[in-house]
Amino acid sequence: MSTQPGLIDLQIMWNRLIAVVGEQAQVLIRTAFSPIVRECEDISAGVFDLKGRMLAQAVTGTPGHINSMAEAVKHFIRHFPIESMREGDAYITNDPWMGTGHLNDFVITTPAFHKGKLVGLFSCTSHLMDIGGLGNGPEASDVFMEGLYIPMLKLIDQGQVNETLMAIIRANTRLPVDTEGDTYSLAACNDVGVRALSAMMDEFGIDTLEPLADHIIARSREAVLAEIAKLPKGTWRHSMMVDGYDHPLTLEAALTISDTGIHVDFTGTSNAVKRGINVPISYTTAYTCFGLGCVVAAHIPNNAGSLAPLTVSAPPGCILNAQKPAPVSIRHIIGQMLPDMVFGCLRQAIPDRVPAEGTSCIWNIIVRGVRPKMEGPNHGYALAITTNGGTGGRPRQDGLSATAYPSGVHGTPVEIAEIQSPLMFWRKEFRPDSGGAGRQRGGLGQIMEIENRDDAPFELLAAFDRIQYPPRGRDGGADGAAGYVGLGSGQVLRGKGLQVIPPGERLVVLTPGGGGLGDPAARDPAKVAADLGNGLISAETAARHHGVAAE
């Protein structure tokens, strides 16, 4: 094959590159120690050219990791110039402003060599459950309280692991076994990617990725611009109230569609707060662009080219552009609302293509404690039990129930949570009537009752939203049900902040439902009957919203 492959060859190699990063991601998932990685797939994996442009990402992964990792590699290149990279090197950081938004995400980047020549870079991210400090909760008043802060460092130097750095990592976590294992799993998956890329280049007889990279970037950018050209031009605005930490916050967006792209500006959004729900601009950009991509470019591969026409700005110091050293541990609570902000703007321009509001932010039940009879090197247990509410009603379908949109993570299996902690699930079921009524019903939330079986209390690092301000319906659809956190005894708990759950007590969590879309009276009676028969709605809801009497 010539050094200038034809279009068909380039397309085949592009597809192969996506397969390579898919393999990279599966290695990460299968070798990880933390349940949130191996069970819930809270990761990202991708391949980059020597300019730091993301060429392909694994389909598995969360937008917050993938789209922020797309920029993180440029920071690695800035700190470790291309000419200084050697075969067998690997670099690491968890800097929230150069990585994926909080300290619990490690990003590792590895140079890829082929026949002794540097040809590209592999990068990956995963969520580590504990990296010390106050932990993965919102209590800290600055980022330094939230855990171990790793600047841009070399983790592996020509095959030799930085044992000093690994000792520091082990010493600054309650889960040294898990944290060390997860770090090595990140490095290992990049190594697999490097080998797979070299094998691909051998197969196709190429010694550089440059022609393929230019093809991928140019074609993807052109495809997105072609979709944008079909949209009406102008500026549309949307606002949303969210619970905040101890007072409500306002999110404001202005979305402008032009011939050159789509820009979203968050001027008018509330200022950053003193607790860890602030969002670095990298994470804001990641979820904003994901929301845009879902509507405008859903069938176009995600890479530097397809992301280029989508731009984001937010005033420095607002909660969506928090400045260091603001606390940011629970940045997903606000950041994952941003696709709904995008949809709120776009529904004014293209109303038939966007859903009603959903729960949006995942409802991670973050628990931590020490088991009296626990043995081993770990200092107690720490677990994020990933749970989800409902998504909003869609133009042609109901919302999805108990589904993590926009994060895309899987729910933690009950069996895994019970093995990893002293918790017992007594209930985990759909929450009837939680989806907002509409022509298209909002997705349902969940009801969970979780008992502490130990003789010792455990800590709940609460980080929940949509309790004061539930997902809103659209075009006459009803709002989804608000979330709730409390105890079986009836005590209501705060939606955010560390709280202690006594031994033998049951934690009760009700996740929100998605908003309904369209007039509930226009809902197909057969669907109403099916909802009734499946226990998704009550007879009262059927009669009040849909005018259908239960038989």
Side-chain angles (χ1 to χ4, degrees):
M1 182 184 297
S2 69
T3 57
Q4 294 295 325
L7 288 177
I8 294 176
D9 295 320
L10 289 169
Q11 191 64 42
I12 293 171
M13 285 189 282
W14 187 354
N15 289 337
R16 180 65 64 82
L17 211 55
I18 294 173
V20 166
V21 293
E23 181 180 358
Q24 175 196 5
Q26 288 305 310
V27 170
L28 175 54
I29 292 164
R30 294 177 183 180
T31 59
F33 282 53
S34 293
I36 198 168
V37 179
R38 68 172 191 264
E39 303 292 340
C40 306
E41 301 185 359
D42 193 8
I43 69 154
S44 67
V47 62
F48 297 72
D49 71 2
L50 298 182
K51 299 176 184 177
R53 300 182 297 180
M54 185 170 72
L55 305 182
Q57 58 139 109
V59 174
T60 299
T62 67
H65 283 165
I66 292 165
N67 287 353
S68 54
M69 179 187 70
E71 292 300 311
V73 171
K74 296 174 184 176
H75 294 297
F76 278 106
I77 292 174
R78 181 163 52 86
H79 283 78
F80 303 100
I82 291 293
E83 57 271 16
S84 72
M85 294 181 178
R86 299 292 180 266
E87 197 162 359
D89 287 352
Y91 313 99
I92 187 172
T93 191
N94 68 343
D95 185 309
W97 287 270
M98 289 189 285
T100 64
H102 71 173
L103 297 177
N104 286 78
D105 293 340
F106 280 13
V107 186
I108 292 183
T109 296
T110 303
F113 285 78
H114 175 62
K115 296 181 178 179
K117 176 185 175 183
L118 180 61
V119 293
L121 300 144
F122 281 86
S123 194
C124 59
T125 307
S126 72
H127 181 97
L128 284 76
M129 198 53 242
D130 188 272
I131 37 81
L134 291 179
N136 192 202
E139 284 75 27
S141 57
D142 63 39
V143 70
F144 305 112
M145 297 174 67
E146 294 182 325
L148 177 66
Y149 196 129
I150 302 174
M152 290 277 177
L153 293 176
K154 184 177 283 189
L155 174 66
I156 304 174
D157 187 352
Q158 298 184 70
Q160 297 298 311
V161 174
N162 184 337
E163 295 293 350
T164 300
L165 175 56
M166 290 305 302
I168 291 171
I169 290 173
R170 286 192 298 269
N172 282 275
T173 172
R174 300 169 182 87
L175 306 175
V177 173
D178 301 49
T179 303
E180 181 177 18
D182 286 340
T183 303
Y184 283 126
S185 77
L186 287 159
C189 87
N190 279 356
D191 289 344
V192 168
V194 169
R195 292 196 294 270
L197 176 64
S198 184
M200 171 196 139
M201 295 178 72
D202 267 336
E203 180 180 348
F204 288 96
I206 59 174
D207 57 10
T208 176
L209 291 179
E210 288 183 15
L212 176 59
D214 290 342
H215 171 75
I216 289 171
I217 299 303
R219 291 296 295 270
S220 300
R221 181 176 180 275
E222 290 166 4
V224 172
L225 286 174
E227 293 300 318
I228 292 173
K230 302 174 186 176
L231 303 177
K233 305 303 183 287
T235 298
W236 295 269
R237 302 178 185 277
H238 184 67
S239 64
M240 178 191 296
M241 296 293 293
V242 296
D243 297 357
Y245 183 85
D246 51 13
H247 63 273
L249 301 169
T250 301
L251 306 181
E252 295 277 356
L255 183 150
T256 300
I257 302 175
S258 67
D259 293 331
T260 57
I262 302 177
H263 181 74
V264 181
D265 177 62
F266 289 105
T267 296
T269 290
S270 295
N271 290 333
V273 297
K274 296 180 179 179
R275 300 297 178 185
I277 62 172
N278 302 297
V279 191
I281 190 65
S282 60
Y283 198 80
T284 293
T285 300
Y287 269 103
T288 303
C289 290
F290 176 71
L292 290 170
C294 285
V295 176
V296 176
H299 303 294
I300 300 170
N302 193 51
N303 54 56
S306 57
L307 289 171
L310 312 176
T311 57
V312 179
S313 62
C318 81
I319 199 165
L320 295 177
N321 189 1
Q323 304 294 292
K324 184 178 178 180
V328 291
S329 181
I330 308 297
R331 86 290 193 230
H332 72 274
I333 288 293
I334 305 296
Q336 290 179 7
M337 301 289 189
L338 300 182
D340 270 343
M341 289 294 292
V342 167
F343 298 158
C345 294
L346 287 176
R347 74 171 55 108
Q348 301 168 58
I350 43 175
D352 295 335
R353 292 172 61 177
V354 295
E357 290 181 0
T359 300
S360 299
C361 57
I362 50 176
W363 271 52
N364 282 347
I365 303 172
I366 305 171
V367 298
R368 185 174 66 199
V370 177
R371 305 191 72 167
K373 298 179 182 179
M374 188 171 183
E375 297 179 357
N378 283 343
H379 308 289
Y381 62 90
L383 184 68
I385 304 167
T386 300
T387 61
N388 311 290
T391 72
R394 296 170 287 175
R396 285 169 289 279
Q397 299 182 70
D398 293 340
L400 299 169
S401 297
T403 298
Y405 180 87
S407 75
V409 297
H410 300 183
T412 303
V414 166
E415 298 82 358
I416 297 299
E418 292 180 341
I419 289 170
Q420 298 281 140
S421 71
L423 304 184
M424 171 71 77
F425 280 71
W426 288 99
R427 293 179 73 189
K428 190 175 192 292
E429 59 195 48
F430 283 149
R431 181 185 177 190
D433 289 334
S434 57
R439 183 183 68 252
Q440 310 293 353
R441 174 181 44 73
L444 274 63
Q446 302 179 64
I447 301 173
M448 284 162 285
E449 287 189 18
I450 308 167
E451 182 179 352
N452 178 10
R453 294 178 294 152
D454 251 351
D455 296 333
F458 73 86
E459 296 174 333
L460 172 69
L461 285 70
F464 309 117
D465 212 281
R466 299 290 204 188
I467 294 174
Q468 301 300 321
Y469 296 92
R472 293 175 292 184
R474 174 189 155 207
D475 297 342
D479 294 348
Y484 170 87
V485 188
L487 299 180
S489 60
Q491 179 184 345
V492 178
L493 299 180
R494 290 178 288 120
K496 296 183 179 70
L498 189 148
Q499 293 154 95
V500 176
I501 311 302
E505 183 63 90
R506 290 192 185 185
L507 174 66
V508 178
V509 177
L510 310 182
T511 65
L517 177 62
D519 183 359
R523 184 166 177 78
D524 184 344
K527 292 183 178 180
V528 177
D531 287 346
L532 270 170
N534 291 324
L536 304 183
I537 64 173
S538 64
E540 178 187 356
T541 292
R544 177 159 50 93
H545 287 289
H546 306 293
V548 175
E551 296 180 359

